[in-house]
Amino acid sequence: MTRDQNLRLLYIEDDEHLCLLFKERMQEDGYSVDFALSAEAGLKKFHTNSYSLVVSDYDLPDRTGLGLRRTKPFSAHWPIFPRSQSWFMPIENLSL
């Protein structure tokens, strides 16, 4: 099944191996995926591209995924789903 090519994801994760696995899997489903290895790199990509969804690791080297979620421009427009290890934080904990 292929998706609309307008669906573009940003994955913010400091483990490059996980980024590559995520990107490969999501591309198999037709998504366009960019990744960043830090919160600051993710912010730079976010400012220069348009994304449908941002997925972020919780434990980043320069801030937490929730800390990133609370910064502009993320806080006003797009949800971030912080993940850590093998769990995804429930959406009700994000105060959307």
Side-chain angles (χ1 to χ4, degrees):
M1 178 165 107
T2 59
R3 304 258 183 231
D4 182 344
Q5 291 301 320
N6 293 329
L7 294 176
R8 190 170 184 180
L9 310 178
L10 174 60
Y11 185 46
I12 306 172
E13 165 64 65
D14 58 332
D15 183 330
E16 188 171 5
H17 180 72
L18 287 178
C19 288
L20 294 172
L21 288 172
F22 181 84
K23 183 174 184 170
E24 180 181 317
R25 178 61 181 99
M26 297 309 288
Q27 286 178 330
E28 288 174 2
D29 283 343
Y31 292 100
S32 175
V33 179
D34 292 334
F35 67 85
L37 298 174
S38 70
E40 289 307 311
L43 283 169
K44 286 179 185 175
K45 287 191 178 204
F46 189 84
H47 285 298
T48 58
N49 298 294
S50 177
Y51 295 101
S52 305
L53 180 68
V54 177
V55 178
S56 173
D57 183 14
Y58 183 81
D59 291 317
L60 296 167
D62 48 351
R63 71 175 77 174
T64 67
L66 284 180
L68 181 62
R69 165 65 177 86
R70 292 184 180 113
T71 62
K72 292 184 180 185
F74 296 121
S75 61
H77 302 289
W78 288 272
I80 293 181
F81 297 97
R83 61 152 298 282
S84 180
Q85 301 298 324
S86 62
W87 60 272
F88 281 83
M89 183 169 291
I91 195 165
E92 62 267 15
N93 291 342
L94 295 177
S95 302
L96 297 176

